[in-house]
Amino acid sequence: RTYGNVVIVDHEKGFFTIYGLLSRIDAEKGSSVEASTPLGLAGEDTQAMSSGKKAPGSAVYFEIRKGDRAIDPLKWLPN
């Protein structure tokens, strides 16, 4: 699978967040970001389109990683 334009944020201590399927990247490589810093714009939902969904929509792929291991984001994000 391809996630198109991707931004990876290093949260230190081995934690990373990954944002993919972006139509535009606003963050610059090596820059510091805060919770309110725009990273980019949502892009076209290419994953849903390839699975037969008829109407394209916007999407952002999101993943939390500790080292090389994906972590369940629901344990980290507020409801």
Side-chain angles (χ1 to χ4, degrees):
R1 295 192 278 188
T2 178
Y3 297 112
N5 290 322
V6 173
V7 172
I8 300 173
V9 178
D10 181 353
H11 298 275
E12 299 182 341
K13 298 184 181 181
F15 286 93
F16 299 87
T17 49
I18 302 167
Y19 306 83
L21 300 176
L22 302 175
S23 66
R24 181 180 85 202
I25 295 176
D26 293 336
E28 293 185 29
K29 185 175 181 176
S31 65
S32 294
V33 296
E34 308 266 334
S36 62
T37 303
L39 302 176
L41 291 178
E44 193 173 350
D45 189 352
T46 58
Q47 302 299 315
M49 289 175 56
S50 66
S51 66
K53 183 178 174 185
K54 302 214 187 272
S58 296
V60 173
Y61 173 82
F62 175 72
E63 185 175 320
I64 300 174
R65 297 192 77 79
K66 168 80 169 147
D68 62 353
R69 181 173 52 96
I71 296 176
D72 182 356
L74 294 178
K75 295 179 181 180
W76 291 84
L77 301 173
N79 293 328

